[in-house]
Amino acid sequence: MKYLGCAYYPEYWGVDRVETDAKLMKEAGINFARIGEFAWSRMEPQEGVFTLDWLNKSIEILNRYGIKVLMCTPSATPPAWLASAYPDTVIVKADGKRLEHGNRKHFCSTSDTYRRHCRRIIEVLCREMKKHENVIAWQIDNELGPEVGWCYCENCQSRFRAWLLEKYGSLETLNRAWGTGFWSMDYSDWRQVRLGSDPFHHYSSRNLDSKRFFSDMMIDYGMFQANIIRENHPGSIVTTNGMGPIYPHINYYQLFKDLDVACDDLYFDIGTMDADVAAMNVFRSIKPGKKFWITETGSGALDHNKPPHKKQFRAWAWSAWAHGSEAHFIFRWRTCLSGQEQELQGILEHSGLPRHRYQAVKECFNEFNDLAYELDRVSLPKAEVAIIQDYDVLWAYDSVRVGPAVNYLPLVYQIHKKLYARNILTDIIDPGQDFRKYKLIILPSMVMLDKEFADRLRNAVYAGATVFSIGQMGMRDKNNNYLPYPGPFELTDLFGIKIHGGMYLDSQVGVEEAIWTPEHRHGSVTVAVKGSVAGETLTGMASKWIADIEAIDCESLFTFQDEAYQYQPAVTEKRYGKGKAIYQGFLNGTVELEERIFDDILAQSNVQVKYQTPLHVEVVERDNFICVVNHLDRAVEVNIPSPVKAVLGTYEDGKCILEPYGVGLLRCI
Ligand SMILES: [Zn+2]
């Protein structure tokens, strides 16, 4: 791992403490400190009055200990004087109420006033920071997004209208695109158009465009800051810190496109281990061919809960390296005595003393440093499988009332977990990215798609790839309106099917079931599915949603056995050029049935399951290294068929032997 770091707050602890901290950091193998993201009130205590001595002195001390600095713009926490003097910089909620100072992220990103103040502090910081050789990178803001909600102020409303005018050109086109003929929704004046916020009562097209607008505005705000830094501190690395495995509010593929590195704040106790791995697969995929950074992770519990096992921190860090991270920043150096995140444990205790977490970090980081020369030159792991994750689809489902029934993101994670459980490395990519290199391309509920994507997909399959589509596919246009003809849009020839619609399997029609009277009572319906995989007859059940499929030019591998779609196709397959297009027209099938179908798809795609391990024991290959990580609290053995030599851990008789939370780093010979 090239960069081993921590978030450090000299503005809070005082410059007199920095020498002690820097010495302890160096001993712990830390070579990078992230500074300043919440320090605006200590940098500019009054408008236009800057106090940066503490910052300059702290950075000089860190430099003496060989510690580089990731400098942050402090705009995530505007100072109280700014909010009180310039209320137009503060978010207005959908109900018209303006937020107050006292939390964070309460700024309106489109406010010209706010941007003017941001520009001034960033320019001053750049002027100071470029004097320091160890300030090599910048973080824009902190975790961009609607932490306290999006802004609905009049400035944002008028920016939304301008955004729509640019997109549609006229109100007539907008009315047509949104299909406003129902419920008298036609607009006759631009001033009538406002941001949508309610998936149950606002037009779904309006909600979807609102989500696109909010994402675009936040990216615009991020790039506004990036451009100031690039003008004033050229040559530095410019980035920002993302969140999640799949952050639902900002299109990260767009956000990071013009930034230098994709960064994730990844606390391994937030998600299940497979979701954590999904996060790393997302951030590796965002900028193809580039290593990603973990800009925040915990050395202790994220909140006041049980901290990780003393070996678990190391297992997480090695998993991060295996998936392509080159930076591991701990949040934070020391547990704060006060504040909103008082219970979040730092590497040092609140006493300032190095105890258990410090030892765990020190052992792990120095292990990485000892191997740095070799590890930092290893190229990224290579995936044969890609899941297409489309923000338009995510937002489309979030904009309509049926969204929760389809459970788009849980479906993405469900598919990813099948691959994770088989130790198959997976890229999670945007539909605009190049997918020609993958053997298997997976489309989860891709309810809308465009012609350009359909053409590229057809070409990839013709050249030999397998595409596996599950759930709703190509049934709506890009404005979230259903198509006036059968789907899948532009893909009927590839899959050899027509999709006429589908059926949600949540029932209120039973004699004791009701939508309202005397109270809501519903039943869950399952529909039997029967067919064969590799010559073996299989049956199972489908739930949640089933597709109304008409076979045109395909083989029907499974059919529904009852309800309205009896004997209609449930899973179809078509050869297309050198590849294959497979469609599963149901969601939430019986686990065993879905697993068998999935194994068959992998076999047909020539994607090999090389390493069989218990769930949450990972094997990842990078160049001539094989990294084996045991996330379980019990010892395990993993068969490694190729001859290897252990760099870390134990390898005997063709097996990697791992203690609880153990790591094996094996070099192929
Ligand atoms: Zn606003």
Side-chain angles (χ1 to χ4, degrees):
M1 197 80 80
K2 192 171 176 183
Y3 301 125
L4 298 163
C6 66
Y8 187 44
Y9 300 98
E11 75 273 22
Y12 182 83
W13 297 107
V15 74
D16 292 346
R17 169 75 193 191
V18 177
E19 187 89 30
T20 307
D21 287 336
K23 187 168 181 296
L24 282 167
M25 284 180 198
K26 187 177 169 61
E27 283 169 13
I30 288 171
N31 58 25
F32 219 158
R34 191 182 72 148
I35 295 182
E37 78 274 25
F38 303 136
W40 197 339
S41 69
R42 301 269 161 119
M43 294 168 170
E44 189 183 4
Q46 294 174 46
E47 183 175 349
V49 176
F50 298 97
T51 50
L52 298 174
D53 278 2
W54 63 268
L55 182 60
N56 283 318
K57 279 182 190 154
S58 301
I59 291 171
E60 280 163 23
I61 295 166
L62 291 169
N63 194 36
R64 277 199 272 112
Y65 287 86
I67 297 168
K68 297 187 185 333
V69 171
L70 168 58
M71 188 65 207
C72 306
T73 69
S75 51
T77 52
W81 60 257
L82 204 158
S84 56
Y86 303 98
D88 62 315
T89 63
V90 182
I91 282 178
V92 174
K93 302 287 283 182
D95 63 5
K97 291 192 179 130
R98 203 177 282 282
L99 292 179
E100 294 175 355
H101 180 82
N103 206 309
R104 64 177 185 177
K105 317 295 289 291
H106 49 280
F107 61 86
C108 167
S109 70
T110 71
S111 160
D112 291 336
T113 313
Y114 193 65
R115 290 192 181 202
R116 179 162 54 84
H117 287 275
C118 287
R119 174 180 288 280
R120 187 179 57 220
I121 183 77
I122 296 168
E123 284 176 349
V124 168
L125 282 173
C126 283
R127 200 167 60 228
E128 292 295 315
M129 292 305 106
K130 69 182 177 190
K131 296 175 190 163
H132 299 281
E133 59 174 335
N134 57 330
V135 178
I136 63 161
W138 284 85
Q139 175 190 302
I140 291 161
D141 205 275
N142 181 70
E143 298 181 344
L144 295 172
E147 185 170 299
V148 290
W150 289 120
C151 185
Y152 294 83
C153 75
E154 287 310 310
N155 188 47
C156 286
Q157 301 285 3
S158 93
R159 289 289 292 265
F160 180 51
R161 289 190 279 268
W163 183 90
L164 291 170
L165 180 63
E166 192 179 336
K167 181 171 182 177
Y168 296 108
S170 72
L171 210 48
E172 292 70 35
T173 314
L174 176 121
N175 281 331
R176 249 196 328 276
W178 284 7
T180 49
F182 202 59
W183 278 19
S184 282
M185 212 57 73
D186 298 317
Y187 296 102
S188 56
D189 187 309
W190 276 105
R191 283 169 297 187
Q192 296 155 359
V193 185
R194 294 179 71 79
L195 286 155
S197 60
D198 183 344
F200 284 87
H201 296 108
H202 291 169
Y203 245 60
S204 69
S205 315
R206 173 184 161 188
N207 285 333
L208 174 56
D209 269 344
S210 300
K211 288 176 191 299
R212 288 170 172 151
F213 165 78
F214 285 131
S215 174
D216 278 5
M217 285 307 101
M218 203 45 91
I219 293 168
D220 182 74
Y221 167 74
M223 292 318 297
F224 156 78
Q225 293 208 7
N227 291 336
I228 299 170
I229 297 164
R230 284 180 172 143
E231 275 167 35
N232 291 280
H233 191 179
S236 56
I237 299 165
V238 182
T239 186
T240 189
N241 51 340
M243 288 173 280
I246 295 167
Y247 185 64
H249 304 295
I250 300 172
N251 184 333
Y252 276 179
Y253 298 94
Q254 290 296 323
L255 173 67
F256 285 103
K257 190 160 64 80
D258 295 319
L259 296 175
D260 296 322
V261 57
C263 303
D264 191 21
D265 289 355
L266 175 55
Y267 291 86
F268 288 83
D269 47 349
I270 285 183
T272 51
M273 196 58 224
D274 53 292
D276 295 332
V277 170
M280 297 187 279
N281 287 336
V282 165
F283 280 80
R284 186 188 57 251
S285 306
I286 282 176
K287 292 186 84 67
K290 287 213 75 167
K291 292 168 185 168
F292 63 94
W293 291 8
I294 291 180
T295 29
E296 285 185 23
T297 192
S299 63
L302 181 60
D303 209 325
H304 56 278
N305 303 304
K306 178 195 171 300
H309 183 277
K310 61 183 178 181
K311 299 276 185 192
Q312 217 169 354
F313 172 80
R314 174 177 177 253
W316 291 338
W318 276 100
S319 179
W321 176 82
H323 288 91
S325 173
E326 65 169 359
H328 211 66
F329 281 81
I330 312 301
F331 188 88
R332 55 197 165 178
W333 173 242
R334 179 173 167 185
T335 309
C336 272
L337 311 181
S338 58
Q340 283 89 338
E341 295 185 316
Q342 192 176 18
E343 303 295 345
L344 205 153
Q345 296 162 336
I347 301 171
L348 298 192
E349 307 300 325
H350 50 78
S351 63
L353 296 173
R355 300 281 296 165
H356 303 283
R357 292 187 301 280
Y358 179 83
Q359 289 307 326
V361 170
K362 184 178 175 181
E363 280 172 31
C364 175
F365 278 11
N366 283 322
E367 184 174 73
F368 275 115
N369 282 333
D370 290 345
L371 295 165
Y373 180 81
E374 209 168 0
L375 296 185
D376 294 348
R377 282 157 182 76
V378 177
S379 59
L380 285 166
K382 291 175 183 58
E384 294 181 328
V385 181
I387 297 173
I388 308 284
Q389 195 293 109
D390 188 347
Y391 272 95
D392 274 344
V393 173
L394 194 168
W395 294 330
Y397 282 121
D398 277 353
S399 298
V400 292
R401 57 195 304 170
V402 299
V406 176
N407 275 340
Y408 172 70
L409 280 183
L411 176 65
V412 175
Y413 294 131
Q414 203 182 81
I415 293 165
H416 176 268
K417 190 172 183 179
K418 289 180 202 286
L419 294 153
Y420 164 82
R422 290 164 173 81
N423 292 301
I424 297 170
L425 188 81
T426 306
D427 285 349
I428 300 176
I429 65 170
D430 175 80
Q433 287 178 279
D434 187 359
F435 41 71
R436 283 174 297 181
K437 63 180 175 181
Y438 300 106
K439 291 181 175 176
L440 175 61
I441 304 157
I442 302 177
L443 276 50
S445 279
M446 204 153 168
V447 72
M448 59 172 65
L449 50 96
D450 58 34
K451 184 174 184 315
E452 190 267 338
F453 172 81
D455 290 344
R456 287 190 295 118
L457 185 67
R458 199 181 295 105
N459 290 340
V461 177
Y462 192 79
T466 297
V467 57
F468 172 51
S469 172
I470 175 171
Q472 300 181 334
M473 170 171 61
M475 296 165 67
R476 295 188 208 163
D477 68 17
K478 295 292 269 186
N479 288 304
N480 228 6
N481 306 306
Y482 277 113
L483 299 174
Y485 48 80
F489 178 73
E490 293 287 331
L491 290 177
T492 295
D493 61 330
L494 175 60
F495 285 88
I497 56 171
K498 284 184 179 174
I499 303 174
H500 293 274
M503 190 192 298
Y504 293 96
L505 297 179
D506 193 40
S507 164
Q508 281 102 14
V509 296
V511 288
E512 286 293 335
E513 294 166 359
I515 293 178
W516 287 300
T517 311
E519 61 186 356
H520 180 218
R521 290 179 203 152
H522 69 104
S524 293
V525 178
T526 52
V527 175
V529 178
K530 187 177 176 187
S532 67
V533 167
E536 187 188 347
T537 301
L538 293 175
T539 56
M541 307 302 284
S543 60
K544 283 272 187 196
W545 183 84
I546 57 174
D548 181 0
I549 304 168
E550 179 190 349
I552 303 293
D553 173 25
C554 67
E555 193 182 339
S556 183
L557 303 181
F558 283 81
T559 53
F560 296 116
Q561 296 299 298
D562 46 36
E563 274 291 343
Y565 305 161
Q566 194 175 25
Y567 307 132
Q568 284 185 199
V571 180
T572 64
E573 178 183 299
K574 182 182 170 186
R575 282 197 172 280
Y576 190 87
K578 292 181 185 165
K580 238 175 214 181
I582 300 167
Y583 177 59
Q584 180 180 318
F586 61 85
L587 294 168
N588 283 51
T590 318
V591 173
E592 198 190 334
L593 175 72
E594 286 212 356
E595 291 289 301
R596 293 295 303 277
I597 292 172
F598 198 72
D599 274 329
D600 189 54
I601 290 166
L602 291 174
Q604 294 200 53
S605 320
N606 201 22
V607 175
Q608 201 188 346
V609 181
K610 277 176 81 173
Y611 303 102
Q612 308 239 355
T613 61
L615 184 63
H616 302 307
V617 177
E618 292 188 87
V619 185
V620 183
E621 294 179 351
R622 280 188 72 173
D623 285 353
N624 61 335
F625 284 103
I626 302 171
C627 190
V628 191
V629 184
N630 177 16
H631 295 291
L632 301 174
D633 60 358
R634 62 181 168 85
V636 296
E637 294 183 356
V638 176
N639 283 323
I640 304 291
S642 46
V644 293
K645 189 172 179 309
V647 179
L648 295 174
T650 308
Y651 174 76
E652 283 173 9
D653 302 327
K655 288 182 170 58
C656 183
I657 300 159
L658 298 129
E659 59 180 349
Y661 308 109
V663 174
L665 183 67
L666 313 172
R667 187 189 290 114
C668 297
I669 49 175

